[in-house]
Amino acid sequence: MSHNSFGHLFRVTTFGESHGPAIGCVVDGCPPRIPLTETDIQHDLDRRRPGQSRYTTQRQEPDQVRILSGVFTDEKTGVQMTTGTPIGLLIENVDQRSKDYGEIRNKYRPGHADYTYDVKYGIRDYRGGGRSSARETAMRVAAGAVARKVVPGLVVRGALVQMGPHRIDRSRWDWDEIGRNPFFCPDAEAAAFFADYLDGIRKKGSSIGAVIEIVAEGVPPGLGAPIYGKLDADLAAALMSINAVKGVEIGAGFEAASLTGEENADEMRLGNDGKPLFLSNHAGGVVGGISTGQAVVARFAVKPTSSILQPRLSVDRFGAETDVVTKGRHDPCVGIRAVPVGEAMVACVIADHFLRHRGQVGETTPWPMGG
Amino acid sequence: MSHNSFGHLFRVTTFGESHGPAIGCVVDGCPPRIPLTETDIQHDLDRRRPGQSRYTTQRQEPDQVRILSGVFTDEKTGVQMTTGTPIGLLIENVDQRSKDYGEIRNKYRPGHADYTYDVKYGIRDYRGGGRSSARETAMRVAAGAVARKVVPGLVVRGALVQMGPHRIDRSRWDWDEIGRNPFFCPDAEAAAFFADYLDGIRKKGSSIGAVIEIVAEGVPPGLGAPIYGKLDADLAAALMSINAVKGVEIGAGFEAASLTGEENADEMRLGNDGKPLFLSNHAGGVVGGISTGQAVVARFAVKPTSSILQPRLSVDRFGAETDVVTKGRHDPCVGIRAVPVGEAMVACVIADHFLRHRGQVGETTPWPMGG
Amino acid sequence: MSHNSFGHLFRVTTFGESHGPAIGCVVDGCPPRIPLTETDIQHDLDRRRPGQSRYTTQRQEPDQVRILSGVFTDEKTGVQMTTGTPIGLLIENVDQRSKDYGEIRNKYRPGHADYTYDVKYGIRDYRGGGRSSARETAMRVAAGAVARKVVPGLVVRGALVQMGPHRIDRSRWDWDEIGRNPFFCPDAEAAAFFADYLDGIRKKGSSIGAVIEIVAEGVPPGLGAPIYGKLDADLAAALMSINAVKGVEIGAGFEAASLTGEENADEMRLGNDGKPLFLSNHAGGVVGGISTGQAVVARFAVKPTSSILQPRLSVDRFGAETDVVTKGRHDPCVGIRAVPVGEAMVACVIADHFLRHRGQVGETTPWPMGG
Amino acid sequence: MSHNSFGHLFRVTTFGESHGPAIGCVVDGCPPRIPLTETDIQHDLDRRRPGQSRYTTQRQEPDQVRILSGVFTDEKTGVQMTTGTPIGLLIENVDQRSKDYGEIRNKYRPGHADYTYDVKYGIRDYRGGGRSSARETAMRVAAGAVARKVVPGLVVRGALVQMGPHRIDRSRWDWDEIGRNPFFCPDAEAAAFFADYLDGIRKKGSSIGAVIEIVAEGVPPGLGAPIYGKLDADLAAALMSINAVKGVEIGAGFEAASLTGEENADEMRLGNDGKPLFLSNHAGGVVGGISTGQAVVARFAVKPTSSILQPRLSVDRFGAETDVVTKGRHDPCVGIRAVPVGEAMVACVIADHFLRHRGQVGETTPWPMGG
């Protein structure tokens, strides 16, 4: 992936800092004649927006998106559609609370990108995290809203499956539950537990990590490419590029290390539709870097935010030892709001590979071969 | 990453199938005037070569590499050096045992790329796995041998840290032990256990997964880039692109999900050299996508090979149900030989980011800032 | 080049249509700590702005640029500088005169992109040319203003050297003259002639082509790369990508076809600074795709705009024959305003290769070699 | 374009020096199931091969190509076809005549890349031109042979239309004539003249430039993309990247500068097939960066080779003044052998855009729109 872009045919470029005038992105390569309005994108943005419960930062970011280009309203139908030209999206920053940045202007918060930006660039916009702010992920969600429309029948959903050391009970998985609790948690009982658990974390001025699972259904078989253009390699990069992510796995993931070949191989039968029916999905929908037609399943681990109230040992940008306390309106579990971000990244990668596959191979499926 | 290439400035492209005439790669963008001989590359290739113990496939692949271009011997010094032009590398395939591929020519091995290649392309070289053969990884190792020379002081080492459900004891970690057992295992006691354990797996005609850890020391701070050009995002893609890999993590990885912000943040002091000294390395050497100067630590999970002797339910390429048995000379634990491959991929990614950083920012470090 | 982006390390992405809410661009990969203000960029934009003489379109486009990201004001110095993160630039569209597009909504103007956009995408924003409007070139100029600051000592200037069949007299070339006439013409006598000539063209409702020459001084030797990464190959693409450009040449260009080897080869002596001094510059500053240190000289041909008052035979988007007249405020010679655009493109390409070279080879020049 | 690669979906990477063991290329992204043999490629290579007449270098380069990967022979049909995986191509170097390079080992030939390679890299393989040798173009021709098969119905032909100051008479254009003279000249009378003319040049130990025209028929409308992904921008880069090329033009090219809007705009009628019929082709088949369905017409100027027998003033790599004479077996007009190279580059660019267009828009043409 490039500095601030990803994707080959469906290509997303973002810009903007937390406390600058605006953040934005350019979605290039989108197919033409796809109906697209600001409302479509706003719907996804609203799911990521902070301040919707006491479990996320209390910053108010209305995140009102404007489509600046790449769409046109057909006069006959009155439907606004993509034109195939680049889609420019913009969100003005409005809640740039004027405040004293004295503590972090010159001091490095352990676990933050403060030091690494300085050691790389020698300059950084420290206000609200600048370019490394989670605010950038709003543009990923916006781009993802476009991506979802590129692949017919694609449904990408995400869920929080672990908070701190506590995993959900997968036997209670209910997608409808996701919208009923502030954690995107598919297990109602776990959600109730997380409410108490996270209150405790928050009151201590601490923070905690989480694991998110993304499931993409309706992914046609054949997406991806051998070797370096593997669908799962691009998924891994896309998810690891989200702020605070420290691990990515596909299907059985790290659990696959403990399996035998017999256990791990997903046996195949023929379904009623004449297509392969897999009897399990340890592969997470990707084998040899190419989608099988099963659900693509990816998980990623989000570390706890380092913006905590407890003092930590540090150094400053002039090379002196110090300690630092991070005040402000922070998420006690940034993993929660990473759910729609993860969905968006998966959608973008799949959309890109959908177009890449169509480019190389065309629109007809060669399988099954004639006898 | 592109179909068969990765990297921006240090760019690797591979080609070749298991049973075609040869496999090869092109390393483009290597800096000039770096001493490089076939012996340098061969040393790394020999570490990956199969048939060196009873724990890897008994195929004999001498893997003799030829440098076809991109080097020149200075007449005065007699030293062969890179010229800055593309380095072409070639390994002729010699052990293409003529055999009956009847079983797998038309049948899909569950867990293999057989079906996905067919559903994508409608044609595939089924001999020995074709393009999806682990044989391709020899060229990654060759490219990695070049990459190691690009970054002054860089040392990249790998180790097998888990086989099946059995993890090594990290308190016994000894890098010297790596070369003394056939598992690249840094824990002598674990290695002894793995010998018996893997014999059992092998005799059953089964296979087992593993977890590999790669540690890169001497990585300068400041490599990587914000957002999509993150060093860890590129590491994730590079490692996930290795055959059979299902999960990647950096530093604390999935364990970070269970940590609190206080536990996870790596506190900083000043070292005697005036540079930041981190009191821990949960970050795995990368914060905000940019290297900190600590060791870069990555782990990846390798699934068990699906080439096992037990029959599995499957379908064939004409759309009929069948079952399939995979005979042949297979690795009972493909994770073992993935160790040098993982090292190579990490070296290539770091070399690429080293050049990219130098391109954008130059050769002087801005840190610390003058007061 | 990608759809709407170009450059590898210094990468420019633009978006926006003529009559949408705004046009914009993202400049990614710019080195940090370069002083940059909106005024710097505005200066170049004002040179391209239409409506400054009767020889360009009378549309009023104030083209007021806003920097949305990628800069930060150091509190100590008060100087706004680049941070190394993506620079977002935006120009709101203000002169979107409401009018009847009846004539061109469904009819294809011969010589315009009307038909090709429709046959490709099946939809297009026909208002004011939409994405194919020359308005997009404002963002090229803005990006070029940033690029000029990346390479120390770089000076890029352009001149109109031919209008219709009439070439300037190169013996009268005076760079100071460029700013004194509305044609960016370095030959005062020719400029006076062009004033009358173009009045005639304009009054006939016709249009005419032109040739533009760009000269870049201060280009360090060694920029470019062998084979496909040639500096002149990237210049050719960059200039050919400007609207209405039909030809590009470097140095002697097409004239080189008529030269003998003796005439064409630029002989070398040593200058007082110990660097090679070339006795001529047929090469246009680029040999083997790599800069020599001489001035880089490129020329490009701009066709006459097809937006003319005379009726032309055409077809419409429903597949019926028709004829079409293009009314509106059009440039009688679009080549004039292409001068600052050409400068910008050359500056961007050189900035990109400056960073790419530094990435691969570093900051010290190996020449001359020690005996 | 990257250092040694070009194309996005149909991507070509070459490697190799004139006097190293071999030259090669990797064609990545080729669609699967296209019949392809070494004979197909050899046919094009033989057209480029030197030593076929007294008008080209007398070096003997059999240029026997081997396909190392990316094809597979279907057992049922016995037809060798592409598999969609990277196609590795190799030509061993055989005529590496051992000789004294004393003259050019340390001296820079004016007009050659000798100096620029040294000032960039500080090292170069000076034998036979090394990486900057025209020998590299053999791999372009090989890749082009693959590209020709990607676009159904595509026919790409080239012709020498000017040698020195002498242009052919286009009214005598006969494609069949191309194969009957050693100049790829479509005008029999001009060819006869060129035979004498070039003999004179050759006997003087001099050299001369040329202009080549490439015509691609069967290019579907809609290929290309707005702004930076213009078909003609990529053509310009591809052709300018050929050794010794100094200018590129599309359609009317530089002549367009002298035309009025009325003259230049290609009027449209409807053909019997219901598709637009253009009454002229000043556009050269590309408008707004997108193909019109007309023949794509490109021309490029090739400078005279600087390898001439007459002594020229120069400097050496240690920074001393000298003069240099280039002996050896050189082409008196390198433009001749550039004809098949230009064809190949145009075919590669069109193949790439064919796949890119299919990726973004799919396989059905939206035109004409329903009323």
Side-chain angles (χ1 to χ4, degrees), chain D residues 67-82:
Chain D
I67 302 180
L68 298 182
S69 64
V71 294
F72 190 65
T73 303
D74 185 77
E75 297 187 8
K76 259 175 91 174
T77 63
V79 177
Q80 180 169 288
M81 295 198 292
T82 59

mmCIF file of all heavy atoms in Angstrom, chain D residues 67-82:
data_model
loop_
_atom_site.group_PDB
_atom_site.id
_atom_site.type_symbol
_atom_site.label_atom_id
_atom_site.label_comp_id
_atom_site.label_asym_id
_atom_site.label_seq_id
_atom_site.Cartn_x
_atom_site.Cartn_y
_atom_site.Cartn_z
ATOM 1 N N ILE D 67 9.892 -19.970 -23.041
ATOM 2 C CA ILE D 67 8.832 -19.661 -22.071
ATOM 3 C C ILE D 67 9.095 -20.513 -20.840
ATOM 4 O O ILE D 67 9.079 -21.749 -20.914
ATOM 5 C CB ILE D 67 7.438 -19.979 -22.641
ATOM 6 C CG1 ILE D 67 7.186 -19.193 -23.934
ATOM 7 C CG2 ILE D 67 6.366 -19.678 -21.608
ATOM 8 C CD1 ILE D 67 5.816 -19.461 -24.555
ATOM 9 N N LEU D 68 9.350 -19.864 -19.714
ATOM 10 C CA LEU D 68 9.714 -20.606 -18.505
ATOM 11 C C LEU D 68 8.525 -20.895 -17.596
ATOM 12 O O LEU D 68 8.625 -21.737 -16.707
ATOM 13 C CB LEU D 68 10.765 -19.823 -17.707
ATOM 14 C CG LEU D 68 12.104 -19.578 -18.400
ATOM 15 C CD1 LEU D 68 13.039 -18.829 -17.466
ATOM 16 C CD2 LEU D 68 12.737 -20.898 -18.841
ATOM 17 N N SER D 69 7.433 -20.196 -17.794
ATOM 18 C CA SER D 69 6.307 -20.365 -16.870
ATOM 19 C C SER D 69 5.066 -19.715 -17.444
ATOM 20 O O SER D 69 5.119 -18.984 -18.432
ATOM 21 C CB SER D 69 6.626 -19.717 -15.520
ATOM 22 O OG SER D 69 6.773 -18.316 -15.673
ATOM 23 N N GLY D 70 3.941 -20.006 -16.799
ATOM 24 C CA GLY D 70 2.705 -19.305 -17.135
ATOM 25 C C GLY D 70 1.896 -19.918 -18.258
ATOM 26 O O GLY D 70 0.874 -19.359 -18.655
ATOM 27 N N VAL D 71 2.355 -21.041 -18.776
ATOM 28 C CA VAL D 71 1.578 -21.738 -19.806
ATOM 29 C C VAL D 71 1.424 -23.204 -19.409
ATOM 30 O O VAL D 71 2.203 -23.736 -18.620
ATOM 31 C CB VAL D 71 2.251 -21.660 -21.194
ATOM 32 C CG1 VAL D 71 2.285 -20.221 -21.708
ATOM 33 C CG2 VAL D 71 3.663 -22.242 -21.149
ATOM 34 N N PHE D 72 0.441 -23.851 -19.979
ATOM 35 C CA PHE D 72 0.204 -25.247 -19.667
ATOM 36 C C PHE D 72 -0.495 -25.883 -20.858
ATOM 37 O O PHE D 72 -1.336 -25.252 -21.500
ATOM 38 C CB PHE D 72 -0.673 -25.370 -18.410
ATOM 39 C CG PHE D 72 -0.761 -26.767 -17.877
ATOM 40 C CD1 PHE D 72 0.373 -27.395 -17.379
ATOM 41 C CD2 PHE D 72 -1.963 -27.455 -17.885
ATOM 42 C CE1 PHE D 72 0.298 -28.694 -16.884
ATOM 43 C CE2 PHE D 72 -2.040 -28.747 -17.392
ATOM 44 C CZ PHE D 72 -0.914 -29.368 -16.892
ATOM 45 N N THR D 73 -0.130 -27.102 -21.131
ATOM 46 C CA THR D 73 -0.732 -27.784 -22.264
ATOM 47 C C THR D 73 -1.882 -28.654 -21.801
ATOM 48 O O THR D 73 -1.692 -29.601 -21.031
ATOM 49 C CB THR D 73 0.301 -28.655 -22.993
ATOM 50 O OG1 THR D 73 1.380 -27.820 -23.397
ATOM 51 C CG2 THR D 73 -0.318 -29.315 -24.211
ATOM 52 N N ASP D 74 -3.031 -28.287 -22.241
ATOM 53 C CA ASP D 74 -4.207 -29.079 -21.931
ATOM 54 C C ASP D 74 -4.078 -30.437 -22.610
ATOM 55 O O ASP D 74 -3.830 -30.521 -23.814
ATOM 56 C CB ASP D 74 -5.445 -28.346 -22.446
ATOM 57 C CG ASP D 74 -6.715 -29.054 -22.060
ATOM 58 O OD1 ASP D 74 -7.114 -28.938 -20.892
ATOM 59 O OD2 ASP D 74 -7.286 -29.749 -22.931
ATOM 60 N N GLU D 75 -4.226 -31.501 -21.820
ATOM 61 C CA GLU D 75 -3.982 -32.827 -22.382
ATOM 62 C C GLU D 75 -5.003 -33.229 -23.425
ATOM 63 O O GLU D 75 -4.699 -33.956 -24.370
ATOM 64 C CB GLU D 75 -3.960 -33.861 -21.256
ATOM 65 C CG GLU D 75 -2.811 -33.595 -20.291
ATOM 66 C CD GLU D 75 -2.662 -34.695 -19.263
ATOM 67 O OE1 GLU D 75 -3.344 -35.733 -19.400
ATOM 68 O OE2 GLU D 75 -1.860 -34.514 -18.346
ATOM 69 N N LYS D 76 -6.205 -32.767 -23.220
ATOM 70 C CA LYS D 76 -7.238 -33.181 -24.160
ATOM 71 C C LYS D 76 -7.054 -32.557 -25.535
ATOM 72 O O LYS D 76 -7.130 -33.224 -26.560
ATOM 73 C CB LYS D 76 -8.623 -32.782 -23.633
ATOM 74 C CG LYS D 76 -9.365 -33.954 -22.999
ATOM 75 C CD LYS D 76 -10.655 -33.510 -22.400
ATOM 76 C CE LYS D 76 -11.832 -33.595 -23.362
ATOM 77 N NZ LYS D 76 -13.079 -33.264 -22.641
ATOM 78 N N THR D 77 -6.763 -31.280 -25.512
ATOM 79 C CA THR D 77 -6.664 -30.579 -26.794
ATOM 80 C C THR D 77 -5.230 -30.541 -27.300
ATOM 81 O O THR D 77 -4.991 -30.340 -28.488
ATOM 82 C CB THR D 77 -7.131 -29.119 -26.640
ATOM 83 O OG1 THR D 77 -6.244 -28.465 -25.718
ATOM 84 C CG2 THR D 77 -8.544 -29.048 -26.109
ATOM 85 N N GLY D 78 -4.268 -30.722 -26.399
ATOM 86 C CA GLY D 78 -2.878 -30.605 -26.805
ATOM 87 C C GLY D 78 -2.446 -29.189 -27.096
ATOM 88 O O GLY D 78 -1.368 -28.949 -27.630
ATOM 89 N N VAL D 79 -3.282 -28.220 -26.746
ATOM 90 C CA VAL D 79 -2.970 -26.818 -27.017
ATOM 91 C C VAL D 79 -2.314 -26.183 -25.791
ATOM 92 O O VAL D 79 -2.842 -26.288 -24.686
ATOM 93 C CB VAL D 79 -4.255 -26.029 -27.377
ATOM 94 C CG1 VAL D 79 -3.929 -24.549 -27.590
ATOM 95 C CG2 VAL D 79 -4.895 -26.633 -28.614
ATOM 96 N N GLN D 80 -1.182 -25.539 -25.998
ATOM 97 C CA GLN D 80 -0.530 -24.839 -24.890
ATOM 98 C C GLN D 80 -1.207 -23.490 -24.686
ATOM 99 O O GLN D 80 -1.310 -22.713 -25.632
ATOM 100 C CB GLN D 80 0.952 -24.668 -25.198
ATOM 101 C CG GLN D 80 1.705 -23.950 -24.087
ATOM 102 C CD GLN D 80 3.210 -24.023 -24.271
ATOM 103 O OE1 GLN D 80 3.833 -25.065 -24.092
ATOM 104 N NE2 GLN D 80 3.794 -22.917 -24.654
ATOM 105 N N MET D 81 -1.634 -23.238 -23.465
ATOM 106 C CA MET D 81 -2.374 -22.008 -23.195
ATOM 107 C C MET D 81 -1.833 -21.300 -21.958
ATOM 108 O O MET D 81 -1.248 -21.918 -21.075
ATOM 109 C CB MET D 81 -3.854 -22.331 -22.979
ATOM 110 C CG MET D 81 -4.531 -22.890 -24.237
ATOM 111 S SD MET D 81 -6.340 -22.790 -24.152
ATOM 112 C CE MET D 81 -6.662 -23.978 -22.865
ATOM 113 N N THR D 82 -2.083 -19.998 -21.909
ATOM 114 C CA THR D 82 -1.724 -19.242 -20.711
ATOM 115 C C THR D 82 -2.595 -19.701 -19.548
ATOM 116 O O THR D 82 -3.732 -20.135 -19.730
ATOM 117 C CB THR D 82 -1.959 -17.739 -20.922
ATOM 118 O OG1 THR D 82 -3.342 -17.536 -21.238
ATOM 119 C CG2 THR D 82 -1.106 -17.210 -22.063
#
